[in-house]
Amino acid sequence: MKMDNPKMSDRAKRLTLMAMDAITLPAALWIAVTLRYGEVDVDMMAFWWVFPVVSVCGLCSFYCFDLYRAIVRYIGPSSMLPVFKGVTIAALAASLTAYLTGAVTFPRSAPIIFWFIAILMIGGGRVAVRAYFYGLFNNYLLREPVAIYGAGDAGAQLAVTLLSGTEYMPVAFLDDDKSLRKRTIHGIRVYGTNKLATLIPALGVKRILLAMPSLSTSQRTRVLNNLTELPVEIHTVPHMREILAGAATVGEVKSIDLADLLGRDVVPPDEGLLADAIGGRNILVTGAAGTIGSELCRKILKREPRCLVVFDNSEYGLYNIEAELQELCSERTEIVFLLGSILNRGHLDDVLSTFEINTVYHAAAYKHVPLVEQNIIEGVRNNVVGTWQVASAVADSKAEELVMISSDKAVRPTNVMGASKRMAELIIQGFAAKSAETASRKTYCMVRFGNVLRSSGSVVPLFESQITSGGPVTVTHPDASRYFMTCDEAAELVVQAGAMAEGGEIFVLDMGQPVLIRDLAEKMIHLSGHKVGEEAPSEPESIEIDYIGLRPGEKLTEELVIGEQITGTRHPKIMRANEDGLDWVELESVCSELVGASARADYRMVQQLLEAHVAGYKLADSTVDPALARLQSRDGLGNVTPLKR
């Protein structure tokens, strides 16, 4: 009978265990006497009353010591203490009863033998039930062998959880602490990490579970960098702060967060700045259905604004996030979902006025470099003209602040996307300068950051898809590198920057060193349990890395600032860059011309305006924009002049 049968009531389980113990204790005494005499047919009628005494005293002791409150399937060393105490009392009761009643034929050594046998039968029976539920007798060979990295409390608890399951079988602990080596925890040996390369294949391990939730991010990165050299999948338990907050348990196993591979600590937010920027205010987020925009909305809702307007031109995008954001919204916050384009000035004016918007976070933009390179007019129209319309609407409204999200592609751009974002920055700088001159008390600022992990169109989802399909993983160039940040960091940076802005600044995050895309690809391949093709070309499960060359407009490396005019801020990891802008009259003229040129699809005018006002930018001689390429092939037709010089 299974003592932890979920269909049995707790009372029925306790009574069943008590009945079994009531039989086991006198049986253990009978075996002890038999062993003492060395005969099976010993006449025990001369001291028969000792047997019920042992049974009653043992059961009463077990009950008083709460043995029957312990859940057998989770019983551990501490739960065995009542067994030792109860059996000891039963043995003393047997000895004392025999002595007081003058049972001269009762062997005096029998209680000692009984003690050992009863411990084995009572305690061993419970251990056997525990072992059964741990799965030691259940599909042992069918369970996947795993190693637990970290032999501390979290690792031990994780082992207990895995042993009681049916999917994984922990076969080894791994730990850097030399004092723990060759020891065992729950019967599992602890090994050092210095021989991982030979130990992992020897044990047949293809998955390592990282159970060190209290490590700092930099320490986790060091450990992960060592592990990612091995072709094993790596999973982790939640961070200690999540466990302490009650948001997770040690037994939860999840995929490794690629943020741990960035080689730097994730920048924590300044809660004071976040609260100052959001609490009790009316907020508008453009491009709210995108990766950054939606994360921005999540962060904003946690700080309880008075009203949040979720604004996007994608019906499907708004539909996807509506239920989630409604769930996050408190009773003190009104949330509104609006379809609309930032190019529709009348609609923008109406939204800003109707909902009495205080702050606008402008995240709406086309950001995918190759696609914008193929759609020059729409890229410029959305990123530049759209920003002009948003900034103008804010200027003519009662809104107090506009924070625009920019990109590291805007620094010395080599592509249309980067040039359009730099032009958008110039627009925000121009409005900031005009606001300062007119004392309008409106604040305009920009936030510039690098690639966001797992954002739509980024390399991480692409690599994951390619690895799942068996490869190859496509990397543009062996030396290509990018700055990476988490989506959390990006959204929090935007809000905190707005809280610190005085007008016209470009805020950037201290993002450490850029990451080689090649290294990221190799680590992701290893984390999936595969080897890189060049490491094991003959193995069928290895995954190749295919270098396809830089795509049109792409740079080998990215930068975060233009020039060296960088100062600190209230936040130790957020910097302020001051860069030259355009005179307002010139800016107004340029934007007016861009509005007309984009409406007419005048490629030549768009080219001239971007090249003239975005320092260092030149439109590529050969285009991948199919519409422009077709117009160029029709030399002499229409108003388009070939761009080749």
Side-chain angles (χ1 to χ4, degrees):
M1 179 183 293
K2 295 182 181 179
M3 291 300 99
D4 270 14
N5 187 334
K7 296 182 180 180
M8 292 179 65
S9 68
D10 290 340
R11 185 171 182 272
K13 293 174 185 177
R14 284 196 295 270
L15 290 175
T16 301
L17 283 171
M18 292 175 73
M20 294 176 65
D21 290 344
I23 297 171
T24 302
L25 287 168
L29 182 59
W30 181 86
I31 295 172
V33 174
T34 300
L35 290 174
R36 172 63 183 82
Y37 279 108
E39 298 177 6
V40 177
D41 56 347
V42 179
D43 182 9
M44 302 185 191
M45 290 304 295
F47 48 83
W48 65 267
W49 54 84
V50 179
F51 290 91
V53 168
V54 164
S55 183
V56 172
C57 289
L59 257 64
C60 290
S61 300
F62 292 154
Y63 185 85
C64 291
F65 294 134
D66 289 333
L67 178 63
Y68 298 113
R69 293 184 181 275
I71 301 174
V72 178
R73 69 183 297 176
Y74 300 126
I75 199 166
S78 62
S79 301
M80 296 300 290
L81 187 58
V83 175
F84 285 97
K85 291 179 179 179
V87 171
T88 300
I89 291 174
L92 291 173
S95 181
L96 186 62
T97 301
Y99 174 76
L100 293 175
T101 57
V104 295
T105 57
F106 182 78
R108 299 294 180 257
S109 60
I112 299 175
I113 301 172
F114 159 79
W115 189 88
F116 287 103
I117 294 173
I119 290 291
L120 181 63
M121 294 178 71
I122 300 292
R126 283 164 168 76
V127 170
V129 173
R130 176 178 181 267
Y132 173 81
F133 281 104
Y134 270 6
L136 298 181
F137 311 133
N138 182 26
N139 296 330
Y140 178 86
L141 297 177
L142 299 179
R143 296 164 70 180
E144 179 185 339
V146 297
I148 298 175
Y149 197 115
D153 291 340
Q157 291 180 51
L158 178 59
V160 169
T161 303
L162 297 179
L163 286 168
S164 62
T166 58
E167 187 174 1
Y168 302 116
M169 174 57 63
V171 296
F173 279 102
L174 306 171
D175 206 289
D176 296 320
D177 189 346
K178 294 182 180 179
S179 65
L180 295 175
R181 294 179 187 176
K182 297 186 179 180
R183 295 189 179 184
T184 60
I185 300 174
H186 298 306
I188 305 166
R189 185 171 177 178
V190 181
Y191 296 88
T193 58
N194 54 334
K195 296 182 179 179
L196 275 175
T198 55
L199 181 64
I200 296 303
L203 295 175
V205 171
K206 293 186 177 179
R207 193 186 306 264
I208 294 178
L209 308 179
L210 188 62
M212 296 186 293
S214 59
L215 286 185
S216 68
T217 304
S218 57
Q219 290 173 318
R220 285 167 65 85
T221 299
R222 177 182 58 80
V223 171
L224 287 172
N225 282 335
N226 292 334
L227 293 179
T228 51
E229 296 177 1
L230 303 169
V232 290
E233 291 188 50
I234 302 175
H235 295 264
T236 185
V237 298
H239 195 278
M240 186 59 73
R241 62 174 174 264
E242 297 175 278
I243 297 171
L244 293 176
T249 63
V250 172
E252 293 181 26
V253 176
K254 58 183 181 180
S255 297
I256 200 72
D257 189 347
L258 288 175
D260 290 327
L261 302 178
L262 293 181
R264 62 175 176 82
D265 286 338
V266 173
V267 177
D270 183 325
E271 286 297 333
L273 286 173
L274 293 174
D276 291 345
I278 300 300
R281 297 172 67 81
N282 296 328
I283 311 293
L284 167 66
V285 179
T286 69
T291 304
I292 301 300
S294 59
E295 186 61 30
L296 192 53
C297 290
R298 295 182 191 100
K299 299 298 181 189
I300 290 171
L301 286 174
K302 288 182 180 179
R303 277 79 190 182
E304 296 188 337
R306 185 186 304 122
C307 175
L308 172 63
V309 178
V310 184
F311 189 90
D312 203 285
N313 68 348
S314 170
E315 178 192 30
Y316 180 68
L318 284 181
Y319 169 79
N320 272 344
I321 65 168
E322 182 176 6
E324 179 192 354
L325 295 184
Q326 289 279 18
E327 186 71 22
L328 294 174
C329 188
S330 74
E331 294 179 356
R332 289 184 288 273
T333 299
E334 178 188 5
I335 186 168
V336 180
F337 296 86
L338 293 181
L339 279 170
S341 168
I342 56 173
L343 294 166
N344 187 339
R345 173 61 190 278
H347 191 197
L348 285 174
D349 289 338
D350 184 58
V351 170
L352 290 168
S353 173
T354 301
F355 297 99
E356 300 179 340
I357 298 299
N358 302 117
T359 302
V360 177
Y361 294 104
H362 177 40
Y366 292 146
K367 63 177 184 178
H368 196 265
V369 170
L371 276 177
V372 174
E373 208 69 18
Q374 295 170 39
N375 296 272
I376 295 173
I377 294 297
E378 280 305 304
V380 171
R381 185 166 177 262
N382 190 68
N383 293 359
V384 181
V385 177
T387 299
W388 173 259
Q389 299 287 21
V390 171
S392 300
V394 168
D396 294 338
S397 73
K398 294 182 180 180
E400 303 156 12
E401 184 177 29
L402 170 61
V403 183
M404 190 198 82
I405 298 173
S406 189
S407 164
D408 57 358
K409 309 294 187 296
V411 179
R412 284 180 267 275
T414 58
N415 50 66
V416 176
M417 183 276 196
S420 67
K421 292 301 286 184
R422 179 55 189 149
M423 195 69 223
E425 289 181 352
L426 292 171
I427 290 171
I428 300 301
Q429 287 177 292
F431 274 91
K434 182 183 179 185
S435 176
E437 291 175 0
T438 59
S440 68
R441 296 185 179 180
K442 293 182 185 290
T443 304
Y444 297 82
C445 70
M446 298 140 282
V447 181
R448 186 189 286 165
F449 44 71
N451 293 37
V452 176
L453 287 173
R454 299 191 182 282
S455 63
S456 58
S458 70
V459 296
V460 171
L462 173 64
F463 286 174
E464 287 176 336
S465 174
Q466 291 173 336
I467 291 169
T468 301
S469 62
V473 172
T474 55
V475 176
T476 55
H477 191 281
D479 298 323
S481 64
R482 295 291 184 269
Y483 288 99
F484 285 98
M485 67 192 307
T486 67
C487 203
D488 272 358
E489 286 180 301
E492 288 165 350
L493 171 61
V494 171
V495 177
Q496 291 173 102
M500 295 186 291
E502 296 176 359
E505 306 99 331
I506 298 175
F507 292 95
V508 294
L509 184 71
D510 180 359
M511 300 182 65
Q513 297 300 314
V515 176
L516 281 172
I517 304 299
R518 179 191 71 239
D519 288 350
L520 180 64
E522 290 177 353
K523 288 176 179 179
M524 290 183 65
I525 291 171
H526 287 152
L527 284 173
S528 67
H530 298 279
K531 291 183 178 180
V532 179
E534 60 189 34
E535 298 172 352
S538 59
E539 292 191 16
E541 293 187 0
S542 63
I543 293 180
E544 298 286 344
I545 294 180
D546 188 9
Y547 296 102
I548 59 175
L550 293 174
R551 293 172 295 183
E554 282 191 324
K555 298 164 72 173
L556 198 60
T557 59
E558 298 288 359
E559 303 169 272
L560 288 173
V561 294
I562 302 172
E564 299 181 356
Q565 298 182 40
I566 303 173
T567 57
T569 65
R570 169 178 162 182
H571 193 295
K573 292 290 186 178
I574 298 177
M575 301 171 291
R576 179 189 285 108
N578 294 302
E579 299 175 0
D580 296 335
L582 295 179
D583 173 80
W584 173 255
V585 175
E586 181 182 10
L587 178 66
E588 195 171 27
S589 172
V590 170
C591 288
S592 176
E593 291 182 88
L594 275 173
V595 169
S598 60
R600 300 189 306 272
D602 188 340
Y603 284 90
R604 186 61 177 173
M605 179 60 72
V606 169
Q607 172 193 4
Q608 290 175 342
L609 291 171
L610 290 180
E611 290 182 351
H613 298 93
V614 177
Y617 174 69
K618 293 292 182 183
L619 190 64
D621 287 342
S622 57
T623 183
V624 291
D625 184 318
L628 176 57
R630 179 164 294 188
L631 288 172
Q632 288 178 339
S633 68
R634 294 157 50 191
D635 190 15
L637 297 179
N639 297 322
V640 177
T641 304
L643 297 182
K644 290 188 178 181
R645 295 185 265 288

